[in-house]
Amino acid sequence: MTNAPERSACFLLDEDAGEVKITYTPDTKVANAGMFIINKEDHTLGNLLRMQLLRNPEVRFSGYRIPHPLIHLVELKVQTSSGNVSPVEVVSAAIEDLSNESDHLETAARDALDKW
């Protein structure tokens, strides 16, 4: 018996306590910028999103941080280069692009496995 938290607390949302997966807060000091807080995730998702966002020419800045190793959340900061596209739109597009890439990777792996 230890005082360690349950392992599932690292990746399962506590919906009874009102936890949500992602929240967005617009930045009040920098135009076309905002902070996304993604619960129950780590460097894997943070770095994937950051790199995918930086591929988009509309994105001026994208960075993430993990505030503390024992707190399982990612703070993702995004700034777009113009007022024509919002941070919410570019993050949504990045998530869709990553989903398509992972679907393509899965299909290619299954095809290669079938040929083998």
mmCIF file of all heavy atoms in Angstrom, residues 42-91:
data_model
loop_
_atom_site.group_PDB
_atom_site.id
_atom_site.type_symbol
_atom_site.label_atom_id
_atom_site.label_comp_id
_atom_site.label_asym_id
_atom_site.label_seq_id
_atom_site.Cartn_x
_atom_site.Cartn_y
_atom_site.Cartn_z
ATOM 1 N N ASP A 42 1.037 13.913 -22.823
ATOM 2 C CA ASP A 42 2.437 14.136 -22.483
ATOM 3 C C ASP A 42 3.198 14.657 -23.702
ATOM 4 O O ASP A 42 2.600 15.150 -24.652
ATOM 5 C CB ASP A 42 3.070 12.863 -21.914
ATOM 6 C CG ASP A 42 3.014 11.694 -22.876
ATOM 7 O OD1 ASP A 42 2.592 11.889 -24.039
ATOM 8 O OD2 ASP A 42 3.402 10.590 -22.470
ATOM 9 N N HIS A 43 4.525 14.506 -23.680
ATOM 10 C CA HIS A 43 5.379 15.029 -24.749
ATOM 11 C C HIS A 43 5.059 14.415 -26.107
ATOM 12 O O HIS A 43 5.288 15.057 -27.130
ATOM 13 C CB HIS A 43 6.852 14.772 -24.416
ATOM 14 C CG HIS A 43 7.360 15.598 -23.289
ATOM 15 N ND1 HIS A 43 7.659 16.932 -23.421
ATOM 16 C CD2 HIS A 43 7.631 15.277 -22.005
ATOM 17 C CE1 HIS A 43 8.091 17.403 -22.269
ATOM 18 N NE2 HIS A 43 8.083 16.425 -21.390
ATOM 19 N N THR A 44 4.551 13.196 -26.132
ATOM 20 C CA THR A 44 4.260 12.544 -27.410
ATOM 21 C C THR A 44 3.287 13.388 -28.223
ATOM 22 O O THR A 44 3.567 13.749 -29.374
ATOM 23 C CB THR A 44 3.679 11.139 -27.184
ATOM 24 O OG1 THR A 44 4.585 10.392 -26.377
ATOM 25 C CG2 THR A 44 3.448 10.428 -28.497
ATOM 26 N N LEU A 45 2.171 13.726 -27.655
ATOM 27 C CA LEU A 45 1.179 14.521 -28.375
ATOM 28 C C LEU A 45 1.631 15.976 -28.515
ATOM 29 O O LEU A 45 1.425 16.598 -29.555
ATOM 30 C CB LEU A 45 -0.185 14.469 -27.681
ATOM 31 C CG LEU A 45 -1.282 15.218 -28.427
ATOM 32 C CD1 LEU A 45 -1.621 14.509 -29.732
ATOM 33 C CD2 LEU A 45 -2.505 15.371 -27.578
ATOM 34 N N GLY A 46 2.241 16.522 -27.482
ATOM 35 C CA GLY A 46 2.686 17.918 -27.541
ATOM 36 C C GLY A 46 3.649 18.167 -28.683
ATOM 37 O O GLY A 46 3.501 19.130 -29.441
ATOM 38 N N ASN A 47 4.643 17.303 -28.829
ATOM 39 C CA ASN A 47 5.626 17.494 -29.887
ATOM 40 C C ASN A 47 5.032 17.220 -31.265
ATOM 41 O O ASN A 47 5.342 17.917 -32.229
ATOM 42 C CB ASN A 47 6.846 16.601 -29.646
ATOM 43 C CG ASN A 47 8.038 17.050 -30.444
ATOM 44 O OD1 ASN A 47 8.266 18.240 -30.623
ATOM 45 N ND2 ASN A 47 8.797 16.106 -30.950
ATOM 46 N N LEU A 48 4.156 16.213 -31.373
ATOM 47 C CA LEU A 48 3.495 15.947 -32.657
ATOM 48 C C LEU A 48 2.687 17.158 -33.126
ATOM 49 O O LEU A 48 2.792 17.581 -34.286
ATOM 50 C CB LEU A 48 2.556 14.752 -32.526
ATOM 51 C CG LEU A 48 3.122 13.383 -32.801
ATOM 52 C CD1 LEU A 48 2.117 12.315 -32.417
ATOM 53 C CD2 LEU A 48 3.522 13.236 -34.242
ATOM 54 N N LEU A 49 1.892 17.723 -32.230
ATOM 55 C CA LEU A 49 1.083 18.893 -32.594
ATOM 56 C C LEU A 49 1.957 20.097 -32.931
ATOM 57 O O LEU A 49 1.707 20.807 -33.906
ATOM 58 C CB LEU A 49 0.124 19.242 -31.467
ATOM 59 C CG LEU A 49 -1.161 18.443 -31.415
ATOM 60 C CD1 LEU A 49 -1.952 18.775 -30.156
ATOM 61 C CD2 LEU A 49 -2.010 18.684 -32.644
ATOM 62 N N ARG A 50 2.989 20.314 -32.140
ATOM 63 C CA ARG A 50 3.881 21.453 -32.391
ATOM 64 C C ARG A 50 4.510 21.356 -33.772
ATOM 65 O O ARG A 50 4.509 22.317 -34.546
ATOM 66 C CB ARG A 50 4.973 21.507 -31.324
ATOM 67 C CG ARG A 50 5.957 22.656 -31.517
ATOM 68 C CD ARG A 50 7.073 22.583 -30.490
ATOM 69 N NE ARG A 50 7.926 21.424 -30.688
ATOM 70 C CZ ARG A 50 9.009 21.402 -31.474
ATOM 71 N NH1 ARG A 50 9.351 22.487 -32.137
ATOM 72 N NH2 ARG A 50 9.737 20.321 -31.581
ATOM 73 N N MET A 51 5.048 20.181 -34.107
ATOM 74 C CA MET A 51 5.695 20.019 -35.404
ATOM 75 C C MET A 51 4.698 20.129 -36.558
ATOM 76 O O MET A 51 5.013 20.721 -37.597
ATOM 77 C CB MET A 51 6.431 18.678 -35.460
ATOM 78 C CG MET A 51 7.632 18.606 -34.534
ATOM 79 S SD MET A 51 8.832 19.923 -34.805
ATOM 80 C CE MET A 51 9.390 19.533 -36.450
ATOM 81 N N GLN A 52 3.508 19.582 -36.383
ATOM 82 C CA GLN A 52 2.494 19.678 -37.436
ATOM 83 C C GLN A 52 2.056 21.127 -37.615
ATOM 84 O O GLN A 52 1.859 21.582 -38.739
ATOM 85 C CB GLN A 52 1.292 18.791 -37.107
ATOM 86 C CG GLN A 52 0.281 18.693 -38.206
ATOM 87 C CD GLN A 52 0.809 17.993 -39.443
ATOM 88 O OE1 GLN A 52 1.631 17.089 -39.345
ATOM 89 N NE2 GLN A 52 0.345 18.402 -40.594
ATOM 90 N N LEU A 53 1.912 21.854 -36.528
ATOM 91 C CA LEU A 53 1.532 23.264 -36.620
ATOM 92 C C LEU A 53 2.603 24.086 -37.325
ATOM 93 O O LEU A 53 2.288 24.987 -38.114
ATOM 94 C CB LEU A 53 1.261 23.831 -35.227
ATOM 95 C CG LEU A 53 -0.066 23.410 -34.603
ATOM 96 C CD1 LEU A 53 -0.046 23.675 -33.103
ATOM 97 C CD2 LEU A 53 -1.220 24.120 -35.267
ATOM 98 N N LEU A 54 3.864 23.788 -37.067
ATOM 99 C CA LEU A 54 4.949 24.558 -37.683
ATOM 100 C C LEU A 54 5.066 24.301 -39.182
ATOM 101 O O LEU A 54 5.700 25.084 -39.888
ATOM 102 C CB LEU A 54 6.272 24.264 -36.980
ATOM 103 C CG LEU A 54 6.366 24.821 -35.560
ATOM 104 C CD1 LEU A 54 7.653 24.372 -34.886
ATOM 105 C CD2 LEU A 54 6.261 26.337 -35.548
ATOM 106 N N ARG A 55 4.459 23.248 -39.687
ATOM 107 C CA ARG A 55 4.424 23.004 -41.135
ATOM 108 C C ARG A 55 3.461 23.958 -41.832
ATOM 109 O O ARG A 55 3.574 24.171 -43.035
ATOM 110 C CB ARG A 55 3.975 21.575 -41.422
ATOM 111 C CG ARG A 55 4.963 20.532 -41.053
ATOM 112 C CD ARG A 55 4.411 19.168 -41.401
ATOM 113 N NE ARG A 55 5.287 18.113 -40.950
ATOM 114 C CZ ARG A 55 4.986 16.836 -41.011
ATOM 115 N NH1 ARG A 55 3.823 16.447 -41.504
ATOM 116 N NH2 ARG A 55 5.834 15.935 -40.585
ATOM 117 N N ASN A 56 2.511 24.498 -41.104
ATOM 118 C CA ASN A 56 1.498 25.384 -41.666
ATOM 119 C C ASN A 56 2.080 26.793 -41.818
ATOM 120 O O ASN A 56 2.532 27.395 -40.842
ATOM 121 C CB ASN A 56 0.280 25.402 -40.742
ATOM 122 C CG ASN A 56 -0.888 26.157 -41.306
ATOM 123 O OD1 ASN A 56 -0.747 26.997 -42.186
ATOM 124 N ND2 ASN A 56 -2.067 25.864 -40.785
ATOM 125 N N PRO A 57 2.065 27.366 -43.031
ATOM 126 C CA PRO A 57 2.623 28.712 -43.216
ATOM 127 C C PRO A 57 1.840 29.809 -42.495
ATOM 128 O O PRO A 57 2.364 30.909 -42.297
ATOM 129 C CB PRO A 57 2.591 28.913 -44.739
ATOM 130 C CG PRO A 57 1.644 27.898 -45.251
ATOM 131 C CD PRO A 57 1.600 26.772 -44.275
ATOM 132 N N GLU A 58 0.613 29.532 -42.094
ATOM 133 C CA GLU A 58 -0.185 30.521 -41.362
ATOM 134 C C GLU A 58 0.217 30.631 -39.895
ATOM 135 O O GLU A 58 -0.202 31.547 -39.199
ATOM 136 C CB GLU A 58 -1.672 30.153 -41.437
ATOM 137 C CG GLU A 58 -2.271 30.272 -42.812
ATOM 138 C CD GLU A 58 -2.459 31.717 -43.231
ATOM 139 O OE1 GLU A 58 -2.730 32.555 -42.352
ATOM 140 O OE2 GLU A 58 -2.334 31.996 -44.433
ATOM 141 N N VAL A 59 1.014 29.689 -39.400
ATOM 142 C CA VAL A 59 1.405 29.665 -37.989
ATOM 143 C C VAL A 59 2.726 30.407 -37.811
ATOM 144 O O VAL A 59 3.732 30.073 -38.426
ATOM 145 C CB VAL A 59 1.519 28.211 -37.472
ATOM 146 C CG1 VAL A 59 2.047 28.183 -36.055
ATOM 147 C CG2 VAL A 59 0.165 27.519 -37.546
ATOM 148 N N ARG A 60 2.702 31.420 -36.965
ATOM 149 C CA ARG A 60 3.913 32.190 -36.659
ATOM 150 C C ARG A 60 4.701 31.541 -35.531
ATOM 151 O O ARG A 60 5.927 31.502 -35.557
ATOM 152 C CB ARG A 60 3.537 33.612 -36.268
ATOM 153 C CG ARG A 60 4.744 34.454 -35.885
ATOM 154 C CD ARG A 60 4.366 35.866 -35.572
ATOM 155 N NE ARG A 60 3.970 36.513 -36.832
ATOM 156 C CZ ARG A 60 3.344 37.672 -36.888
ATOM 157 N NH1 ARG A 60 3.037 38.314 -35.794
ATOM 158 N NH2 ARG A 60 3.022 38.198 -38.040
ATOM 159 N N PHE A 61 3.995 31.026 -34.519
ATOM 160 C CA PHE A 61 4.659 30.414 -33.364
ATOM 161 C C PHE A 61 3.831 29.250 -32.859
ATOM 162 O O PHE A 61 2.607 29.312 -32.827
ATOM 163 C CB PHE A 61 4.827 31.440 -32.234
ATOM 164 C CG PHE A 61 5.341 30.841 -30.968
ATOM 165 C CD1 PHE A 61 6.688 30.590 -30.797
ATOM 166 C CD2 PHE A 61 4.473 30.487 -29.944
ATOM 167 C CE1 PHE A 61 7.162 30.012 -29.626
ATOM 168 C CE2 PHE A 61 4.935 29.913 -28.783
ATOM 169 C CZ PHE A 61 6.278 29.679 -28.615
ATOM 170 N N SER A 62 4.524 28.199 -32.474
ATOM 171 C CA SER A 62 3.882 27.062 -31.824
ATOM 172 C C SER A 62 4.889 26.455 -30.861
ATOM 173 O O SER A 62 6.013 26.147 -31.246
ATOM 174 C CB SER A 62 3.442 26.022 -32.860
ATOM 175 O OG SER A 62 2.934 24.889 -32.204
ATOM 176 N N GLY A 63 4.484 26.307 -29.625
ATOM 177 C CA GLY A 63 5.352 25.710 -28.617
ATOM 178 C C GLY A 63 4.509 25.081 -27.530
ATOM 179 O O GLY A 63 3.344 25.407 -27.358
ATOM 180 N N TYR A 64 5.111 24.139 -26.825
ATOM 181 C CA TYR A 64 4.379 23.490 -25.746
ATOM 182 C C TYR A 64 5.287 23.322 -24.551
ATOM 183 O O TYR A 64 6.511 23.410 -24.661
ATOM 184 C CB TYR A 64 3.825 22.125 -26.195
ATOM 185 C CG TYR A 64 4.839 21.020 -26.197
ATOM 186 C CD1 TYR A 64 4.947 20.158 -25.107
ATOM 187 C CD2 TYR A 64 5.699 20.819 -27.264
ATOM 188 C CE1 TYR A 64 5.890 19.147 -25.096
ATOM 189 C CE2 TYR A 64 6.625 19.809 -27.265
ATOM 190 C CZ TYR A 64 6.721 18.973 -26.175
ATOM 191 O OH TYR A 64 7.652 17.973 -26.160
ATOM 192 N N ARG A 65 4.662 23.077 -23.409
ATOM 193 C CA ARG A 65 5.412 22.753 -22.208
ATOM 194 C C ARG A 65 4.564 21.852 -21.327
ATOM 195 O O ARG A 65 3.333 21.861 -21.395
ATOM 196 C CB ARG A 65 5.856 23.998 -21.451
ATOM 197 C CG ARG A 65 4.759 24.702 -20.717
ATOM 198 C CD ARG A 65 5.274 25.978 -20.043
ATOM 199 N NE ARG A 65 4.279 26.453 -19.094
ATOM 200 C CZ ARG A 65 4.465 26.499 -17.784
ATOM 201 N NH1 ARG A 65 5.606 26.142 -17.269
ATOM 202 N NH2 ARG A 65 3.521 26.932 -16.990
ATOM 203 N N ILE A 66 5.254 21.082 -20.525
ATOM 204 C CA ILE A 66 4.631 20.260 -19.500
ATOM 205 C C ILE A 66 4.928 20.988 -18.195
ATOM 206 O O ILE A 66 6.090 21.088 -17.801
ATOM 207 C CB ILE A 66 5.230 18.836 -19.477
ATOM 208 C CG1 ILE A 66 5.189 18.183 -20.854
ATOM 209 C CG2 ILE A 66 4.559 17.984 -18.416
ATOM 210 C CD1 ILE A 66 3.817 17.866 -21.370
ATOM 211 N N PRO A 67 3.926 21.534 -17.501
ATOM 212 C CA PRO A 67 4.204 22.368 -16.331
ATOM 213 C C PRO A 67 4.908 21.635 -15.190
ATOM 214 O O PRO A 67 5.713 22.233 -14.490
ATOM 215 C CB PRO A 67 2.840 22.874 -15.886
ATOM 216 C CG PRO A 67 1.832 22.171 -16.676
ATOM 217 C CD PRO A 67 2.498 21.471 -17.798
ATOM 218 N N HIS A 68 4.616 20.350 -15.026
ATOM 219 C CA HIS A 68 5.249 19.573 -13.950
ATOM 220 C C HIS A 68 5.159 18.097 -14.320
ATOM 221 O O HIS A 68 4.144 17.667 -14.870
ATOM 222 C CB HIS A 68 4.531 19.833 -12.614
ATOM 223 C CG HIS A 68 5.266 19.297 -11.439
ATOM 224 N ND1 HIS A 68 5.157 17.977 -11.043
ATOM 225 C CD2 HIS A 68 6.126 19.880 -10.576
ATOM 226 C CE1 HIS A 68 5.913 17.778 -9.987
ATOM 227 N NE2 HIS A 68 6.519 18.912 -9.678
ATOM 228 N N PRO A 69 6.194 17.320 -14.048
ATOM 229 C CA PRO A 69 6.165 15.900 -14.445
ATOM 230 C C PRO A 69 5.035 15.088 -13.813
ATOM 231 O O PRO A 69 4.616 14.084 -14.379
ATOM 232 C CB PRO A 69 7.516 15.366 -13.964
ATOM 233 C CG PRO A 69 8.372 16.549 -13.749
ATOM 234 C CD PRO A 69 7.469 17.710 -13.474
ATOM 235 N N LEU A 70 4.530 15.506 -12.677
ATOM 236 C CA LEU A 70 3.462 14.762 -12.026
ATOM 237 C C LEU A 70 2.062 15.252 -12.394
ATOM 238 O O LEU A 70 1.068 14.668 -12.000
ATOM 239 C CB LEU A 70 3.631 14.804 -10.506
ATOM 240 C CG LEU A 70 4.896 14.135 -9.978
ATOM 241 C CD1 LEU A 70 4.991 14.298 -8.471
ATOM 242 C CD2 LEU A 70 4.946 12.676 -10.372
ATOM 243 N N ILE A 71 2.010 16.336 -13.154
ATOM 244 C CA ILE A 71 0.732 16.868 -13.622
ATOM 245 C C ILE A 71 0.639 16.532 -15.103
ATOM 246 O O ILE A 71 1.423 17.013 -15.910
ATOM 247 C CB ILE A 71 0.624 18.389 -13.397
ATOM 248 C CG1 ILE A 71 0.754 18.693 -11.916
ATOM 249 C CG2 ILE A 71 -0.688 18.917 -13.946
ATOM 250 C CD1 ILE A 71 0.843 20.160 -11.595
ATOM 251 N N HIS A 72 -0.320 15.711 -15.456
ATOM 252 C CA HIS A 72 -0.393 15.169 -16.808
ATOM 253 C C HIS A 72 -1.231 16.064 -17.711
ATOM 254 O O HIS A 72 -2.391 15.780 -17.998
ATOM 255 C CB HIS A 72 -0.948 13.745 -16.768
ATOM 256 C CG HIS A 72 -0.150 12.845 -15.900
ATOM 257 N ND1 HIS A 72 1.079 12.352 -16.282
ATOM 258 C CD2 HIS A 72 -0.352 12.384 -14.654
ATOM 259 C CE1 HIS A 72 1.578 11.612 -15.329
ATOM 260 N NE2 HIS A 72 0.723 11.621 -14.315
ATOM 261 N N LEU A 73 -0.601 17.140 -18.148
ATOM 262 C CA LEU A 73 -1.244 18.007 -19.121
ATOM 263 C C LEU A 73 -0.192 18.709 -19.951
ATOM 264 O O LEU A 73 0.957 18.834 -19.557
ATOM 265 C CB LEU A 73 -2.207 19.002 -18.475
ATOM 266 C CG LEU A 73 -1.715 20.044 -17.478
ATOM 267 C CD1 LEU A 73 -1.244 21.293 -18.188
ATOM 268 C CD2 LEU A 73 -2.844 20.395 -16.551
ATOM 269 N N VAL A 74 -0.622 19.160 -21.131
ATOM 270 C CA VAL A 74 0.231 19.865 -22.071
ATOM 271 C C VAL A 74 -0.335 21.263 -22.254
ATOM 272 O O VAL A 74 -1.533 21.421 -22.470
ATOM 273 C CB VAL A 74 0.276 19.136 -23.432
ATOM 274 C CG1 VAL A 74 1.033 19.944 -24.463
ATOM 275 C CG2 VAL A 74 0.860 17.752 -23.290
ATOM 276 N N GLU A 75 0.514 22.257 -22.155
ATOM 277 C CA GLU A 75 0.128 23.630 -22.469
ATOM 278 C C GLU A 75 0.708 23.954 -23.842
ATOM 279 O O GLU A 75 1.918 24.008 -24.006
ATOM 280 C CB GLU A 75 0.666 24.596 -21.422
ATOM 281 C CG GLU A 75 0.044 24.412 -20.057
ATOM 282 C CD GLU A 75 0.630 25.344 -19.011
ATOM 283 O OE1 GLU A 75 1.622 26.056 -19.304
ATOM 284 O OE2 GLU A 75 0.095 25.360 -17.897
ATOM 285 N N LEU A 76 -0.162 24.144 -24.821
ATOM 286 C CA LEU A 76 0.236 24.400 -26.205
ATOM 287 C C LEU A 76 -0.099 25.841 -26.549
ATOM 288 O O LEU A 76 -1.263 26.242 -26.496
ATOM 289 C CB LEU A 76 -0.502 23.446 -27.145
ATOM 290 C CG LEU A 76 -0.244 23.581 -28.636
ATOM 291 C CD1 LEU A 76 1.165 23.119 -28.975
ATOM 292 C CD2 LEU A 76 -1.273 22.785 -29.416
ATOM 293 N N LYS A 77 0.919 26.605 -26.887
ATOM 294 C CA LYS A 77 0.733 28.019 -27.249
ATOM 295 C C LYS A 77 0.857 28.149 -28.761
ATOM 296 O O LYS A 77 1.795 27.615 -29.355
ATOM 297 C CB LYS A 77 1.801 28.868 -26.562
ATOM 298 C CG LYS A 77 1.702 30.328 -26.830
ATOM 299 C CD LYS A 77 1.149 31.029 -25.652
ATOM 300 C CE LYS A 77 1.199 32.522 -25.907
ATOM 301 N NZ LYS A 77 0.643 33.252 -24.828
ATOM 302 N N VAL A 78 -0.112 28.821 -29.374
ATOM 303 C CA VAL A 78 -0.145 28.969 -30.833
ATOM 304 C C VAL A 78 -0.430 30.418 -31.187
ATOM 305 O O VAL A 78 -1.299 31.052 -30.591
ATOM 306 C CB VAL A 78 -1.243 28.069 -31.455
ATOM 307 C CG1 VAL A 78 -1.285 28.239 -32.963
ATOM 308 C CG2 VAL A 78 -1.021 26.621 -31.087
ATOM 309 N N GLN A 79 0.336 30.923 -32.164
ATOM 310 C CA GLN A 79 0.073 32.255 -32.707
ATOM 311 C C GLN A 79 0.034 32.145 -34.228
ATOM 312 O O GLN A 79 0.921 31.545 -34.834
ATOM 313 C CB GLN A 79 1.148 33.261 -32.298
ATOM 314 C CG GLN A 79 0.879 34.656 -32.816
ATOM 315 C CD GLN A 79 1.966 35.647 -32.470
ATOM 316 O OE1 GLN A 79 3.037 35.275 -32.014
ATOM 317 N NE2 GLN A 79 1.686 36.913 -32.688
ATOM 318 N N THR A 80 -0.993 32.731 -34.823
ATOM 319 C CA THR A 80 -1.098 32.732 -36.280
ATOM 320 C C THR A 80 -0.554 34.050 -36.821
ATOM 321 O O THR A 80 -0.461 35.049 -36.102
ATOM 322 C CB THR A 80 -2.553 32.526 -36.729
ATOM 323 O OG1 THR A 80 -3.373 33.539 -36.170
ATOM 324 C CG2 THR A 80 -3.058 31.164 -36.303
ATOM 325 N N SER A 81 -0.213 34.033 -38.103
ATOM 326 C CA SER A 81 0.435 35.208 -38.683
ATOM 327 C C SER A 81 -0.549 36.278 -39.146
ATOM 328 O O SER A 81 -0.149 37.396 -39.418
ATOM 329 C CB SER A 81 1.331 34.785 -39.852
ATOM 330 O OG SER A 81 0.565 34.096 -40.810
ATOM 331 N N SER A 82 -1.829 35.943 -39.254
ATOM 332 C CA SER A 82 -2.801 36.941 -39.695
ATOM 333 C C SER A 82 -4.119 36.739 -38.962
ATOM 334 O O SER A 82 -4.350 35.701 -38.344
ATOM 335 C CB SER A 82 -3.035 36.826 -41.208
ATOM 336 O OG SER A 82 -3.723 35.636 -41.503
ATOM 337 N N GLY A 83 -4.968 37.735 -39.051
ATOM 338 C CA GLY A 83 -6.277 37.655 -38.422
ATOM 339 C C GLY A 83 -7.276 36.834 -39.231
ATOM 340 O O GLY A 83 -8.402 36.631 -38.800
ATOM 341 N N ASN A 84 -6.863 36.367 -40.414
ATOM 342 C CA ASN A 84 -7.768 35.599 -41.273
ATOM 343 C C ASN A 84 -8.032 34.207 -40.741
ATOM 344 O O ASN A 84 -9.058 33.613 -41.045
ATOM 345 C CB ASN A 84 -7.203 35.495 -42.689
ATOM 346 C CG ASN A 84 -7.078 36.851 -43.352
ATOM 347 O OD1 ASN A 84 -7.760 37.792 -42.990
ATOM 348 N ND2 ASN A 84 -6.189 36.951 -44.316
ATOM 349 N N VAL A 85 -7.093 33.664 -39.980
ATOM 350 C CA VAL A 85 -7.232 32.313 -39.464
ATOM 351 C C VAL A 85 -6.922 32.332 -37.963
ATOM 352 O O VAL A 85 -5.974 32.970 -37.524
ATOM 353 C CB VAL A 85 -6.329 31.321 -40.242
ATOM 354 C CG1 VAL A 85 -4.880 31.679 -40.119
ATOM 355 C CG2 VAL A 85 -6.580 29.905 -39.833
ATOM 356 N N SER A 86 -7.751 31.657 -37.192
ATOM 357 C CA SER A 86 -7.589 31.675 -35.736
ATOM 358 C C SER A 86 -6.746 30.487 -35.277
ATOM 359 O O SER A 86 -6.604 29.495 -36.003
ATOM 360 C CB SER A 86 -8.960 31.623 -35.067
ATOM 361 O OG SER A 86 -9.524 30.334 -35.218
ATOM 362 N N PRO A 87 -6.195 30.558 -34.079
ATOM 363 C CA PRO A 87 -5.462 29.409 -33.530
ATOM 364 C C PRO A 87 -6.316 28.146 -33.441
ATOM 365 O O PRO A 87 -5.811 27.043 -33.657
ATOM 366 C CB PRO A 87 -5.037 29.899 -32.141
ATOM 367 C CG PRO A 87 -4.963 31.367 -32.259
ATOM 368 C CD PRO A 87 -6.059 31.738 -33.209
ATOM 369 N N VAL A 88 -7.596 28.302 -33.158
ATOM 370 C CA VAL A 88 -8.483 27.132 -33.077
ATOM 371 C C VAL A 88 -8.557 26.432 -34.435
ATOM 372 O O VAL A 88 -8.509 25.198 -34.513
ATOM 373 C CB VAL A 88 -9.895 27.548 -32.592
ATOM 374 C CG1 VAL A 88 -10.848 26.387 -32.660
ATOM 375 C CG2 VAL A 88 -9.828 28.116 -31.189
ATOM 376 N N GLU A 89 -8.631 27.204 -35.506
ATOM 377 C CA GLU A 89 -8.712 26.629 -36.844
ATOM 378 C C GLU A 89 -7.446 25.877 -37.216
ATOM 379 O O GLU A 89 -7.519 24.776 -37.774
ATOM 380 C CB GLU A 89 -8.986 27.720 -37.881
ATOM 381 C CG GLU A 89 -10.354 28.347 -37.775
ATOM 382 C CD GLU A 89 -10.504 29.524 -38.722
ATOM 383 O OE1 GLU A 89 -9.999 29.462 -39.861
ATOM 384 O OE2 GLU A 89 -11.135 30.508 -38.311
ATOM 385 N N VAL A 90 -6.272 26.449 -36.916
ATOM 386 C CA VAL A 90 -5.029 25.776 -37.310
ATOM 387 C C VAL A 90 -4.777 24.534 -36.458
ATOM 388 O O VAL A 90 -4.256 23.537 -36.962
ATOM 389 C CB VAL A 90 -3.808 26.730 -37.284
ATOM 390 C CG1 VAL A 90 -3.947 27.805 -38.341
ATOM 391 C CG2 VAL A 90 -3.552 27.321 -35.931
ATOM 392 N N VAL A 91 -5.157 24.557 -35.182
ATOM 393 C CA VAL A 91 -4.999 23.362 -34.350
ATOM 394 C C VAL A 91 -5.959 22.273 -34.820
ATOM 395 O O VAL A 91 -5.581 21.097 -34.910
ATOM 396 C CB VAL A 91 -5.202 23.691 -32.854
ATOM 397 C CG1 VAL A 91 -5.316 22.429 -32.027
ATOM 398 C CG2 VAL A 91 -4.051 24.544 -32.349
#
